[in-house]
Amino acid sequence: MLKIAVLASGGGTNLQAIIDETEAGRLDCSIEVVVTDSPSAFALERAKKHSIATAIVEKSAYPKRKAFDAELVRLLKEHGVEVVVLAGFMRLLSSVMLEAFPMRILNIHPSLLPSFPGLNVQQQAIEHGVKFSGCTVHFVDEGLDSGPILLQAAVPVLDTDTPESLAARILIEEHRIYPEALNIIAAGRISIEGRRVIIKEA
Ligand code: GRF
């Protein structure tokens, strides 16, 4: 069973999807700890409700990125974490985290990367006039939403969409493909060739 940590700064619906799939026995992972940089993150309540260990690493206590990451590494290693799952974690990671967990940090992003990295991406997708958007699970590298892509799912963008309605449609797919990506990793079904993540048949 793959030992993971989920890092979240906000509502934590992706965390909830991972918890639910784990508890249903469909996800071969155990969530060792949920970490946030924001004491008011609702993700903390979700974790506590399911008796999952939590930790808060506040930016104010570690204003320098590398010191913040060093504390994260200490915490994650203490919990025996093998794979780090970013789920709405609003802080860029430095080389300190990347070197401690090489190709072992995943992120989910609400667009079809490499289109629309960064923030407010549903609004950008609507303004750009794309007909499809979606979500991407990717490995984290030193860039912004730029690491090798593991899974993607597409959804239509409707003429009537607002950023909120598009975000809601994308989230449904996020909740489906993030657990799926974790199962693929837990089963050791990936190899990486250059930028390409090759998924072996189950
Ligand atoms: C998701 O849209 C995810 O793609 C992005 O942040 C949002 C987190 O949502 N990285 P939640 O906290 O999991 O509900």
Side-chain angles (χ1 to χ4, degrees), residues 6-17 42-43 46 86-90 107-111 118-119 121-122 134-136 138 145 167 170-171 174-175 178:
V6 180
L7 275 54
S9 302
T13 64
N14 277 288
L15 166 66
Q16 190 67 54
F42 188 64
R46 295 183 190 271
L86 307 185
F89 191 61
M90 301 306 286
N107 184 40
I108 190 155
H109 181 77
S111 77
L119 296 174
V121 298
Q122 295 89 353
C135 50
T136 304
H138 64 93
D145 301 321
I170 292 172
L171 263 182
E174 293 187 34
H175 300 161
Y178 220 175

Side-chain angles (χ1 to χ4, degrees), residues 128-190:
H128 198 93
V130 296
K131 300 301 181 194
F132 285 89
S133 188
C135 50
T136 304
V137 177
H138 64 93
F139 288 100
V140 174
D141 66 7
E142 53 292 329
L144 175 65
D145 301 321
S146 61
I149 290 170
L150 180 49
L151 286 181
Q152 292 185 304
V155 303
V157 180
L158 307 180
D159 293 342
T160 51
D161 264 331
T162 61
E164 292 72 28
S165 65
L166 178 56
R169 193 175 308 118
I170 292 172
L171 263 182
I172 293 169
E173 294 302 308
E174 293 187 34
H175 300 161
R176 184 176 66 77
I177 69 168
Y178 220 175
E180 187 183 340
L182 288 169
N183 261 335
I184 289 168
I185 291 177
R189 288 173 49 212
I190 58 158

Side-chain angles (χ1 to χ4, degrees), residues 5-101:
V6 180
L7 275 54
S9 302
T13 64
N14 277 288
L15 166 66
Q16 190 67 54
I18 293 167
I19 292 172
D20 292 346
E21 288 301 288
T22 306
E23 290 188 349
R26 288 189 293 261
L27 182 47
D28 196 23
C29 291
S30 79
I31 307 172
E32 300 298 313
V33 62
V34 168
V35 184
T36 186
D37 58 342
S38 165
S40 60
F42 188 64
L44 282 177
E45 307 309 315
R46 295 183 190 271
K48 285 177 189 158
K49 197 170 168 199
H50 292 267
S51 306
I52 299 167
T54 60
I56 303 170
V57 184
E58 286 201 70
K59 287 176 207 173
S60 53
Y62 303 94
K64 294 217 169 109
R65 200 180 296 281
K66 287 195 170 180
F68 180 91
D69 280 14
E71 173 59 10
L72 273 185
V73 170
R74 188 197 65 71
L75 197 66
L76 297 171
K77 296 284 182 192
E78 183 181 283
H79 284 273
V81 170
E82 298 168 289
V83 166
V84 180
V85 177
L86 307 185
F89 191 61
M90 301 306 286
R91 196 154 164 105
L92 283 177
L93 299 178
S94 72
S95 57
V96 172
M97 268 293 283
L98 295 172
E99 283 165 18
F101 294 95

